[in-house]
Amino acid sequence: MKSLKKILSVFLSVMMITGSFVVAQVAMADEVSSDYSVTLSANGKNKTILTGAKDNANNNYSTISLTGGTVDHINAWITNDKGSMISKYKYKVPMKTTDKKLYYKDGKSVSKGTTTSILIEQNNVASKTAKGNANIK
């Protein structure tokens, strides 16, 4: 009887550890999201504001918001891990925009776990600040 209790205890311990590992893996698979507050250089010099692994191959976009700073708009786009642009355009994101979708190029699929980055720029002749949130979906 003691042997059966020990085996059952070991089995339950292993199941709890395995369950914790699965929960941790699911939590790590969430979308990559970050607030940003940056100073953007003059004349279109870009800045990477978020890099991470794509969490859902069914989403053909990522999102960005511009909620503060001294710039009136930013241009935003997505690149792959080689630095090539994979979004359709450099999207214009006006001040007070929330959750602007940055779509991938037509026919472009990005698999789960693929590293992508969101870059932004501004085109004023002086440095400006930008604040908001970015999400790799």
Side-chain angles (χ1 to χ4, degrees):
M1 192 64 151
K2 277 187 170 183
S3 177
L4 181 59
K5 285 183 181 181
K6 283 185 181 181
I7 291 172
L8 186 57
S9 176
V10 168
F11 176 75
L12 288 174
S13 296
V14 168
M15 292 305 293
M16 287 175 55
I17 292 168
T18 302
S20 297
F21 178 77
V22 169
V23 168
Q25 293 300 312
V26 169
M28 287 177 17
D30 287 344
E31 73 182 42
V32 179
S33 177
S34 179
D35 291 330
Y36 67 90
S37 179
V38 296
T39 298
L40 297 169
S41 298
N43 301 321
K45 186 169 181 185
N46 65 53
K47 182 170 275 268
T48 301
I49 57 167
L50 183 62
T51 297
K54 184 163 176 60
D55 78 318
N56 187 339
N58 294 322
N59 289 337
N60 66 339
Y61 64 91
S62 289
T63 62
I64 191 166
S65 67
L66 178 62
T67 56
T70 58
V71 67
D72 63 343
H73 78 275
I74 57 173
N75 299 316
W77 65 99
I78 307 166
T79 63
N80 62 17
D81 61 348
K82 294 179 177 90
S84 299
M85 189 167 100
I86 59 173
S87 57
K88 283 186 179 184
Y89 319 103
K90 285 187 176 182
Y91 288 87
K92 183 177 181 177
V93 183
M95 181 57 77
K96 298 185 181 176
T97 297
T98 57
D99 295 325
K100 171 78 172 177
K101 289 183 178 179
L102 310 174
Y103 288 98
Y104 298 116
K105 291 179 180 177
D106 290 337
K108 182 75 175 169
S109 63
V110 179
S111 60
K112 180 178 179 174
T114 300
T115 300
T116 61
S117 297
I118 298 176
L119 286 76
I120 62 174
E121 67 182 8
Q122 61 96 20
N123 297 106
N124 293 294
V125 295
S127 295
K128 298 279 185 168
T129 60
K131 295 178 186 178
N133 182 272
N135 300 284
I136 297 174
K137 300 270 186 183

